[in-house]
Amino acid sequence: MSTSRTVLVASDLDRTLIYSAAALGLTMPDADAPRLLCVEVYESKPLSYVTETAAGLLDEVGRATVFVPTTTRTREQYGRIHLPGPAPKFAICANGGHLLVDGVSDPEWRADVGRRLAAECASLDEVRAHMVRTADPAWLLKERVAEDLFAYLVVERSLLPEGWVKELAEWAQGRGWTVSLQGRKIYAVPKPLTKSAAVREVARRIDADEILAAGDSLLDADLLLAADRSWRPGHGELADTGWTAPGLTVLPERGVAAGEEILRGFLRHGRGSLRHGSANG
């Protein structure tokens, strides 16, 4: 009788598995730095990387589990990323707003998300207007709306006043929204728009026996809580606040080295029980 199990691996991408040049965190002498593989090009320039070792681990994870990239990126932004290994059957974009199946957004899922947002939180227009009105042009570089679901600002971090993000978060809290500062971006995301809800839907569809997850930001907290086992790197919003949860492994590694350790954790934990021939194959 087979004892194989279906393991779902849901991982954040930016600053969890893939890293921009500024986020690599290469602290060793140049001669000792790992070889890097570019996994994203933007405006004809390399943008995001994994180590060569992480590329091999990603391929293993993709073949041994149902690997689900789980990102706040829009579908267009996610489409620029080319991860090593088999093309994932499922992917989650826009912080759970879009559930991609073989690269195509599931219309029923998107409609359900829209109904929940309309019923449970303030409108995108209200929140966006408040963000733009209270931001100072001295440090606001860009303001964007993503997939008609949430808003974010691109800022000059060195000029961002201390306390501004906290004040925005307190204002948004009462309107059913969450605020997250990631690098140069300040996100405002509706509370019902979660990665965990979309991951649970994938788990239901594939009848997953176990969920493993990883992430570094406040927007990943619900994802990590929804998993049976989870990992977070030694950098990011969650690390800065000392965030922890049952089943969470807190890694000391920072930067691209943390990405390697997260992938090793996925493989170590499930080795011997991971289902081969998964839905990613």
Side-chain angles (χ1 to χ4, degrees):
M1 184 175 66
S2 172
T3 58
S4 63
R5 304 167 68 242
T6 302
V7 176
L8 190 162
V9 170
S11 182
D12 175 53
L13 296 177
D14 293 280
R15 295 181 177 237
T16 298
L17 293 187
I18 69 174
Y19 291 81
S20 67
L24 287 170
L26 301 176
T27 58
M28 70 290 290
D30 290 347
D32 299 329
R35 292 210 300 185
L36 300 172
L37 174 69
C38 177
V39 295
E40 179 187 14
V41 172
Y42 179 56
E43 295 183 342
S44 303
K45 297 177 182 177
L47 183 61
S48 298
Y49 304 86
V50 298
T51 67
E52 203 169 65
T53 298
L57 294 169
L58 263 169
D59 182 70
E60 286 189 63
V61 170
R63 295 182 189 283
T65 74
V66 180
F67 173 59
V68 183
T70 306
T71 180
T72 303
R73 285 179 175 235
T74 64
R75 288 170 290 170
E76 180 183 0
Q77 292 166 339
Y78 170 69
R80 299 196 303 254
I81 300 172
H82 299 284
L83 296 175
K89 180 174 181 63
F90 299 99
I92 293 163
C93 294
N95 214 64
H98 285 280
L99 172 56
L100 306 189
V101 183
D102 294 324
V104 179
S105 181
D106 183 315
E108 292 185 10
W109 176 257
R110 178 62 184 86
D112 182 58
V113 167
R115 286 189 290 269
R116 280 188 278 125
L117 297 188
E120 299 176 26
C121 58
S123 71
L124 170 63
D125 288 344
E126 178 185 350
V127 174
R128 178 190 184 189
H130 179 84
M131 292 174 73
V132 174
R133 184 173 63 251
T134 57
D136 189 331
W139 47 262
L140 176 61
L141 303 178
K142 301 175 187 176
E143 66 94 8
R144 294 286 186 269
V145 168
E147 302 270 20
D148 292 322
L149 289 167
F150 62 90
Y152 65 92
L153 308 179
V154 182
V155 303
E156 180 58 61
R157 280 290 295 268
S158 63
L159 300 178
L160 184 65
E162 185 177 353
W164 189 87
V165 174
K166 182 179 179 182
E167 289 176 10
L168 175 64
E170 290 172 350
W171 178 89
Q173 172 80 17
R175 290 161 178 80
W177 286 63
T178 297
V179 171
S180 173
L181 174 62
Q182 301 179 42
R184 297 191 308 149
K185 293 181 179 179
I186 302 170
Y187 291 90
V189 178
K191 288 183 180 180
L193 186 68
T194 64
K195 293 179 177 181
S196 60
V199 167
R200 288 190 184 99
E201 174 61 15
V202 176
R204 184 191 67 80
R205 294 186 187 192
I206 66 172
D207 195 22
D209 295 295
E210 187 172 27
I211 299 174
L212 309 180
D216 70 301
S217 79
L218 180 63
L219 295 177
D220 297 313
D222 68 284
L223 172 64
L224 304 186
L225 287 169
D228 298 292
R229 290 286 301 271
S230 60
W231 288 259
R232 71 161 171 82
H235 62 258
E237 276 185 311
L238 298 181
D240 291 345
T241 59
W243 188 88
T244 189
L248 175 71
T249 296
V250 176
L251 297 171
E253 289 84 4
R254 301 169 60 88
V256 74
E260 284 188 12
E261 284 306 308
I262 287 166
L263 290 164
R264 288 191 183 101
F266 290 154
L267 288 169
R268 267 198 308 267
H269 174 71
R271 199 176 297 279
S273 66
L274 297 177
R275 182 171 82 94
H276 293 270
S278 73
N280 282 347

